[in-house]
Amino acid sequence: MKTIGWTLANAALVGALALASVGSAVVPATAQAQIGSNPLLWCFVGPNDQPGNGPLGRCTSFYPASSYRADFEVRNLPAGNYSYVWTNEVGMVLPCTTNRCNVTYRNGSGIVDLVSVTYTNLATGEAKTLGRTVAIGGPI
């Protein structure tokens, strides 16, 4: 039979994992632990009242505005030639073909979107996907 302590410990673990995952969708836990050398998807939403100088940028904004621009960049890829396919949460392919992409959002009341990029090493055929959650205005 499960004890109350066991139940509380599991609830705390689930809560901690949920908080750790906000804004880092699709980035494996090992990549989060070693951000400096692994490929990552940098993101910054502007306008913003907070700096985004960290290695992952700042993919959220609560700054009041009528439109926002989210800038994305795949960083820390090993040398090589890559192709890129960018998509949003509903599966729409974005018109970006390099390691950089930007998306404009209008009406900043409660926008949440998951932007993903699949990059393929053209020499090896190996493909990997990174993603970031964009959160603008409203509750996350």
Side-chain angles (χ1 to χ4, degrees), residues 2-99:
K2 298 177 185 171
T3 66
I4 292 174
W6 183 86
T7 303
L8 292 174
N10 277 340
L13 177 63
V14 169
L17 291 173
L19 287 174
S21 69
V22 172
S24 63
V26 189
V27 178
T30 56
Q32 291 176 4
Q34 303 170 3
I35 287 176
S37 62
N38 290 312
L40 59 88
L41 184 54
W42 178 88
C43 171
F44 185 79
V45 174
N48 207 319
D49 58 350
Q50 299 292 317
N53 298 339
L56 293 175
R58 181 163 181 83
C59 218
T60 61
S61 179
F62 296 102
Y63 189 86
S66 60
S67 69
Y68 298 83
R69 177 178 157 149
D71 292 310
F72 300 92
E73 182 179 356
V74 178
R75 293 184 175 179
N76 298 337
L77 284 179
N81 290 323
Y82 296 89
S83 66
Y84 302 88
V85 177
W86 295 84
T87 57
N88 66 7
E89 188 167 8
V90 296
M92 186 173 83
V93 175
L94 303 176
C96 307
T97 58
T98 68
N99 71 320

